[in-house]
Amino acid sequence: MSDFVPADFDVPRELITPRFRLEPLGPEHNVPDHAAWTSSIEHIRATPGFGGSWPPVDGMSLESNLGDLKRHAEDFVQRRGFTFTVLETGGDVIGCVYIYPSRKDPSVTDVRSWVSADRAELDIALYEAVSNWLAADWPFGRVDYAVRSTT
């Protein structure tokens, strides 16, 4: 187990808002997750916090994506990091939220999120909801989450 969060901390398993909800990302999300991000590569690479490093310009196979989802699910179980899928109220996968310790400074929590290009209008709402959730329900002192601009 990791010391990313205290051993006695009950990790939240969902965030529900009127327009979307978050639940832990897992292998069961492979096909819709893959479809969401592969349809939005340029949009995600331009999203604050990604800096053009992910996703790969040429995408990846569904099998490789499944491997990534299994790794994220194992990180969640081991409490090394927490990745949530973003589901629209109708159930469609429209994004992801990643909560991991900073590689540069373990006392800082790195948070990144993206929404698919066809749901770009939800980016600020997701940022605000996650920021409030982290402040209210998580034990992190310092969070690095790229600010979204309303202009």
Side-chain angles (χ1 to χ4, degrees):
M1 290 286 180
S2 167
D3 59 0
F4 179 41
V5 293
D8 62 349
F9 176 65
D10 189 16
V11 175
R13 305 223 16 117
E14 68 180 0
L15 171 65
I16 299 173
T17 77
R19 303 232 11 230
F20 54 82
R21 67 184 172 84
L22 275 59
E23 68 180 41
L25 178 68
E28 68 275 17
H29 300 110
N30 190 37
V31 172
D33 173 77
H34 187 262
W37 73 258
T38 58
S39 68
S40 303
I41 292 173
E42 288 182 32
H43 173 73
I44 296 168
R45 289 175 68 90
T47 297
F50 286 89
S53 62
W54 189 90
V57 174
D58 296 330
M60 70 170 68
S61 70
L62 197 56
E63 183 178 332
S64 293
N65 195 66
L66 179 60
D68 276 359
L69 271 56
K70 288 178 179 179
R71 179 180 52 82
H72 284 304
E74 183 61 21
D75 285 347
F76 203 109
V77 168
Q78 297 298 322
R79 300 165 66 95
R80 292 185 296 247
F82 306 98
T83 303
F84 292 86
T85 190
V86 182
L87 301 160
E88 201 165 34
T89 34
D92 292 336
V93 171
I94 60 166
C96 253
V97 175
Y98 309 88
I99 305 169
Y100 277 85
S102 169
R103 291 183 178 150
K104 296 176 187 170
D105 181 350
S107 71
V108 175
T109 300
D110 280 340
V111 179
R112 294 184 301 152
S113 64
W114 60 266
V115 293
S116 54
D118 62 346
R119 299 300 191 281
E121 75 281 359
L122 292 176
D123 186 57
I124 291 173
L126 177 62
Y127 169 80
E128 290 173 349
V130 169
S131 294
N132 291 334
W133 186 46
L134 292 169
D137 296 342
W138 291 79
F140 304 128
R142 294 175 36 210
V143 173
D144 183 8
Y145 189 7
V147 176
R148 300 322 200 242
S149 173
T150 57
T151 57

